[in-house]
Amino acid sequence: MKVASIARNTSFFTFALIIQKIISFSFFTLLARYLAPEELGKFYLAISFTTIFAIIIDLGLANVLTREVAKIKGTNDVESEKSKNDLLRAVLFIKIPLAIIAIVTVFILSNVLTYTDIVRQLIYISVISMVLDSFSTSFWAFVRGHHILKYESISAVLFQLVIFVFGVIVLKFNLGLSYLMLVFAMASLVGFLYSFFLTKIKFKIRVWPQYNPSLIKHVVSLS
């Protein structure tokens, strides 16, 4: 049964990643066609800039959460379910100050560096995606700990589809780089809401940050 579960999950996730890459490749091909080289450079700069600081928010917490949840997955008693819930809530609590640090750092550096107004505006919008994606990763890490990948697979394709459909509209009507970046933020919001409510409803847990000093210390040390 374990072998069958691993094979099923791997097949599902691999297929989803292939579909995602095809859609992504198609969209970025359109970007290169519709945008001037200078505009494309500004757009990629903003995304790359915030991606660097996204590392601050996670710091390996997703891997720790998946591993620790998987450890206690075998037992279905009430205490074990509470332990898994507490792990997720502790990780969410840790991520809040880390997210604030990352946001402040991005805002400060984007103003210190000699970026144009439009690049700074794109960076500010991209920060929304940076934060939402990081919290979505935590929810998917929790789900992954239960050896379930099909929902994350659906989310990966859904995320890329939202970007493709609304991105093409923005490009077709020439609405500008800011609206194009807003499409990415909207896709991140869709992914966040999907992962949030799936985790909350499927696993019937309270998805809310919780201050638990001993558990936080344990998770941080592992991270």
Side-chain angles (χ1 to χ4, degrees), residues 173-188:
F173 290 95
N174 196 26
L175 298 178
L177 293 177
S178 296
Y179 279 95
L180 193 60
M181 191 63 81
L182 278 171
V183 168
F184 279 73
M186 182 174 66
S188 295

Side-chain angles (χ1 to χ4, degrees), residues 23-205:
I23 299 171
S24 177
F25 177 78
S26 302
F27 178 69
F28 281 99
T29 301
L30 289 174
L31 273 186
R33 180 180 176 183
Y34 277 89
L35 296 181
E38 184 182 352
E39 289 181 312
L40 195 61
K42 292 174 181 177
F43 190 76
Y44 278 127
L45 171 60
I47 293 177
S48 301
F49 189 81
T50 51
T51 300
I52 293 170
F53 296 98
I55 299 168
I56 297 175
I57 309 178
D58 189 70
L59 293 179
L61 291 169
N63 292 333
V64 169
L65 181 59
T66 298
R67 190 184 70 180
E68 294 302 301
V69 169
K71 277 183 181 179
I72 53 179
K73 175 189 174 293
T75 53
N76 294 317
D77 56 279
V78 176
E79 193 60 36
S80 294
E81 291 302 317
K82 184 179 181 300
S83 297
K84 289 187 284 189
N85 190 6
D86 289 345
L87 273 168
L88 175 60
R89 296 178 70 185
V91 168
L92 294 178
F93 186 90
I94 296 166
K95 278 200 166 187
I96 291 174
L98 292 176
I100 293 171
I101 292 170
I103 292 169
V104 171
T105 305
V106 168
F107 272 75
I108 291 173
L109 285 179
S110 63
N111 282 278
V112 170
L113 298 171
T114 55
Y115 290 144
T116 59
D117 291 341
I118 183 62
V119 171
R120 282 201 300 272
Q121 187 179 17
L122 293 174
I123 289 172
Y124 298 157
I125 299 171
S126 186
V127 163
I128 300 171
S129 296
M130 177 186 77
V131 175
L132 291 175
D133 289 345
S134 180
F135 280 91
S136 297
T137 300
S138 295
F139 297 133
W140 291 130
F142 179 82
V143 176
R144 219 176 292 144
H146 292 82
H147 305 167
I148 302 172
L149 286 177
K150 63 179 180 180
Y151 299 111
E152 186 177 357
S153 303
I154 293 169
S155 177
V157 175
L158 179 64
F159 174 85
Q160 209 61 56
L161 276 175
V162 171
I163 291 176
F164 184 85
V165 172
F166 289 96
V168 167
I169 293 172
V170 170
L171 291 172
K172 195 72 176 175
F173 290 95
N174 196 26
L175 298 178
L177 293 177
S178 296
Y179 279 95
L180 193 60
M181 191 63 81
L182 278 171
V183 168
F184 279 73
M186 182 174 66
S188 295
L189 178 61
V190 171
F192 170 80
L193 292 175
Y194 179 60
S195 61
F196 175 87
F197 285 109
L198 178 85
T199 306
K200 182 179 178 64
I201 294 168
K202 180 169 179 58
F203 297 98
K204 297 178 177 61
I205 63 174

